[in-house]
Amino acid sequence: MTLTRLNSLSPLNLKDWLWQPIFNDMLELLSIFKLQNYPIPVEFLYKRVVTGNSKKPIEITTSTWASKFDKVKQIRAACVEGKGYLSVLNLVIIPSIDYNLPFFGADFVTLPNGHLLALDLQPVLKSDRFHTADVWQKLLPIHNRWQSLLPDGGDIPTEAKPYFSPGFLWTRLPLEKNSNLTIQEVIRPAFREYLSLYLELASNAERVSKDFSLKLQAGQKSYLNYRSYKDPARGMLTRFYGKEWTEDYIHKVLFKID
Ligand code: DBV
């Protein structure tokens, strides 16, 4: 299938993407805001490669959806699909530095060895992860309710810990039918609740002082540097699309600092 996406708000048109229902939930929840186009260079809107072997070719596509609204400077979804082989939805929301809001992060990854699922509202200031203490109070009951239905995802690297919130939802599930049910009945409503809370916080957020917004700017820079330096998708994307495209994608699109 050839496909052209005109801009970052164009539909994805993916056929077998496991994360489509959750992506649609995101669009539905965002529809109360006046969404604007967030420009993405054309070479990153849609990328395709055929891998595997001649007997069993596997087409892998990566589509980038992005948008913004007044209090949020970037919402971007990296959507990877390889039929029957892998499905990824990586979503990041970066708030405007004029508002004391956390980042929103979701990493839903299905690979041949299982599902890896991460969901969080992440602090911008790692030296002061309580800067949005009121957020964690609201998030914790949501986290506890859904995490208690899921196996723990295991250790995360020590250096990554300051970037996570106390409400980090994190699990790994095997590739079996039951897991698809868990995704429908646990991950999907958890995602809706995390995103709804985030959007409610954004709606109610009030401007911070110029001084504080400079702190938030420095915090965003440190977070984005970390995410681009440590991007767990680097190996996978490099195998599919080569080093040059992947490094540009990571630095100029996925975790762009402006
Ligand atoms: N991760 C990204 C982007 C991806 C992506 C942009 C385009 O930040 C996918 C795709 N994540 C991705 C893949 C893997 C992971 C792993 C393909 C598997 C790598 C592999 O097994 O080879 C959450 N994601 C992970 C891991 C963590 C997270 C902790 C395991 C890392 C490891 O084992 O080294 N990513 C992390 C996180 C957020 C996030 C908490 C935000 C909520 O986006």
Side-chain angles (χ1 to χ4, degrees):
M1 181 177 60
T2 32
L3 183 143
T4 323
R5 296 187 62 236
L6 293 177
N7 63 40
S8 64
L9 289 171
S10 305
L12 301 171
N13 297 323
L14 300 176
K15 271 205 243 131
D16 299 290
W17 192 43
L18 182 62
W19 305 110
Q20 190 71 52
I22 287 184
F23 183 85
N24 293 348
D25 287 349
M26 175 197 79
L27 293 180
E28 180 204 320
L29 293 171
L30 286 172
S31 66
I32 56 166
F33 296 93
K34 212 170 168 271
L35 293 187
Q36 295 163 266
N37 183 38
Y38 180 97
I40 299 283
V42 64
E43 64 271 33
F44 302 112
L45 285 176
Y46 180 77
K47 182 82 176 164
R48 170 182 181 274
V49 70
V50 178
T51 171
N53 54 45
S54 52
K55 275 203 188 124
K56 202 181 165 209
I58 304 167
E59 180 188 56
I60 314 268
T61 67
T62 296
S63 311
T64 311
W65 183 94
S67 180
K68 62 180 178 177
F69 60 90
D70 57 351
K71 292 176 176 175
V72 157
K73 92 179 164 196
Q74 192 199 97
I75 309 165
R76 73 100 190 109
C79 313
V80 188
E81 185 206 32
K83 196 181 169 193
Y85 178 68
L86 63 89
S87 271
V88 176
L89 168 60
N90 181 271
L91 175 64
V92 172
I93 303 181
I94 304 175
S96 149
I97 55 164
D98 292 328
Y99 298 91
N100 191 13
L101 290 165
F103 297 102
F104 180 94
D107 204 15
F108 297 150
V109 180
T110 302
L111 298 174
N113 59 355
H115 307 277
L116 175 157
L117 308 160
L119 189 56
D120 203 7
L121 306 192
Q122 304 190 313
V124 174
L125 301 175
K126 70 167 176 167
S127 56
D128 172 22
R129 68 204 290 247
F130 299 107
H131 71 107
T132 40
D134 54 321
V135 173
W136 321 134
Q137 270 176 21
K138 292 183 181 145
L139 183 60
L140 279 176
I142 299 175
H143 170 260
N144 294 345
R145 192 164 68 250
W146 298 115
Q147 184 73 59
S148 69
L149 302 172
L150 298 164
D152 182 73
D155 283 345
I156 53 162
T158 314
E159 55 180 344
K161 286 188 179 149
Y163 295 100
F164 292 96
S165 89
F168 178 42
L169 189 96
W170 171 230
T171 193
R172 291 174 196 262
L173 301 172
L175 281 195
E176 38 179 71
K177 273 215 177 97
N178 265 349
S179 299
N180 286 3
L181 202 65
T182 306
I183 288 170
Q184 274 306 310
E185 294 182 354
V186 181
I187 299 300
R188 189 173 172 190
F191 174 83
R192 288 187 70 103
E193 290 191 18
Y194 273 61
L195 186 58
S196 300
L197 171 60
Y198 190 82
L199 298 175
E200 180 194 313
L201 294 164
S203 297
N204 297 332
E206 292 185 14
R207 266 178 189 277
V208 298
S209 70
K210 186 74 200 158
D211 270 4
F212 196 68
S213 86
L214 291 175
K215 279 193 189 159
L216 294 173
Q217 186 175 36
Q220 289 197 355
K221 201 171 160 187
S222 147
Y223 176 91
L224 293 168
N225 261 330
Y226 180 80
R227 291 285 306 262
S228 55
Y229 167 63
K230 279 284 172 188
D231 186 357
R234 177 175 265 114
M236 176 188 87
L237 294 173
T238 304
R239 274 196 304 283
F240 295 148
Y241 306 120
K243 189 167 175 197
E244 195 181 336
W245 184 90
T246 299
E247 291 306 316
D248 279 353
Y249 188 47
I250 290 173
H251 293 286
K252 296 180 184 166
V253 178
L254 292 177
F255 303 111
K256 180 172 166 230
I257 297 170
D258 52 26

